[in-house]
């Protein structure tokens, strides 16, 4: 408890929590907030297209369907 109290007296992590929820902690957030979402989309697309398609031999048509499904899931509130 003493250590956590000392840390909390010096830094306020909750002050940045809303920004963290919005932009996460991926290293490319350092490139700037304006490009963060575009980079995130690029990384997800690259992962689906290259990693999943290659490792599991998934046809490109299925990857496209998977991308659409992921987009629908991400838009749900």
């Amino acid at each position: 408890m003493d250590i956590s109290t000392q840390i909390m007296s010096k830094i306020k992590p909750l002050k940045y929590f809303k920004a963290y929820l919005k932009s996460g902690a991926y290293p490319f957030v350092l490139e700037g907030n304006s490009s963060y979402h575009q980079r995130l989309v690029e990384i997800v697309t690259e992962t689906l297209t290259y990693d999943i398609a290659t490792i599991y031999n998934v046809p490109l048509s299925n990857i496209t369907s998977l991308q659409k499904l992921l987009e629908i899931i991400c838009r749900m509130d």
Side-chain angles (χ1 to χ4, degrees), residues 3-49:
I3 294 172
S4 65
T5 303
Q6 289 174 8
I7 292 171
M8 292 299 289
S9 70
K10 295 178 183 174
I11 61 170
K12 305 293 181 202
L14 294 178
K15 177 181 176 181
Y16 305 100
F17 188 65
K18 283 186 180 182
Y20 165 77
L21 291 176
K22 185 177 179 182
S23 61
Y26 289 99
F28 47 81
V29 75
L30 300 175
E31 297 172 10
N33 284 337
S34 61
S35 65
Y36 174 78
H37 292 287
Q38 180 60 36
R39 283 288 288 139
L40 187 59
V41 168
E42 290 171 4
I43 295 297
V44 170
T45 302
E46 187 175 310
T47 301
L48 289 171
T49 305

